[in-house]
Amino acid sequence: DANFMAGYCNNWCLMQLSRCVRELVQYRRQGSRGHFSFNSYLVDLVFMLSESLVGSAHTAIFVCLSQAPRNNMQSSVALDFGEVFSKLSIRPSANKWKKKAKLKLQATATLTGAKAALGNAERSSGGGARNKHVPKRRAQIVMSRQLLNVLKQFG
């Protein structure tokens, strides 16, 4: 049933996000200063929120709860996630200015490379279902196209 699969996929994405947040908090508690890799989380949601998770993007999170007794478990899980998410630190950093031409060149190169890599991954693994890099390449394609569309609007 389509509704069951949609719910399953949503829950899987949220579970991966929760796992990522917990591991990122633990990583920082250990005093690690290096680069935290998001590559082991095989869902687009984690990649889309990665800048928020490392504190370089402004983010608001709303935790929704229910007063109904039958929803106690879901409310408890939501509160637990909110508590862990609140432990992420904000590390704002100023972005360096880049000229539009350079941004366009970088986005075009990323788009071309991601398309080629996605094609190779899909061919080598019979559709890409078993290749862990396919979601990342698809996210790179979407991000590059969005950036190119924004740049086009500004001339």
Side-chain angles (χ1 to χ4, degrees), residues 26-38:
Q26 185 64 30
Y27 178 80
R28 289 196 179 150
R29 276 194 183 143
Q30 294 171 350
S32 303
R33 290 280 180 206
H35 177 70
F36 182 83
S37 176
F38 293 97

Side-chain angles (χ1 to χ4, degrees), residues 89-127:
S89 60
I90 299 171
R91 296 180 180 175
S93 59
N95 292 327
K96 294 180 181 177
W97 289 95
K98 293 182 183 178
K99 294 186 176 188
K100 286 188 285 186
K102 186 174 182 178
L103 285 172
K104 184 176 181 181
L105 190 63
Q106 288 175 337
T108 303
T110 300
L111 179 62
T112 303
K115 281 182 175 179
L118 179 63
N120 291 338
E122 288 178 335
R123 280 190 296 280
S124 69
S125 63

Side-chain angles (χ1 to χ4, degrees), residues 30-94:
Q30 294 171 350
S32 303
R33 290 280 180 206
H35 177 70
F36 182 83
S37 176
F38 293 97
N39 290 335
S40 63
Y41 309 98
L42 304 177
V43 294
D44 293 342
L45 182 62
V46 172
F47 291 115
M48 289 188 294
L49 294 176
S50 62
E51 289 181 357
S52 295
L53 296 174
V54 296
S56 60
H58 293 288
T59 305
I61 183 166
F62 297 89
V63 176
C64 299
L65 306 173
S66 172
Q67 293 178 343
R70 70 177 184 271
N71 296 328
N72 281 347
M73 185 60 154
Q74 290 89 343
S75 294
S76 175
V77 170
L79 281 172
D80 183 53
F81 175 77
E83 180 184 12
V84 173
F85 196 91
S86 71
K87 293 177 183 174
L88 290 175
S89 60
I90 299 171
R91 296 180 180 175
S93 59

Side-chain angles (χ1 to χ4, degrees), residues 103-116 118-119 122 136-154:
L103 285 172
K104 184 176 181 181
L105 190 63
Q106 288 175 337
T108 303
T110 300
L111 179 62
T112 303
K115 281 182 175 179
L118 179 63
E122 288 178 335
K136 181 177 181 178
R137 300 301 180 207
R138 288 182 179 151
Q140 287 175 327
I141 290 169
V142 170
M143 182 184 71
S144 298
R145 286 181 176 157
Q146 288 174 342
L147 179 56
L148 289 170
N149 285 335
V150 168
L151 291 173
K152 188 181 350 178
Q153 290 178 5
F154 289 105

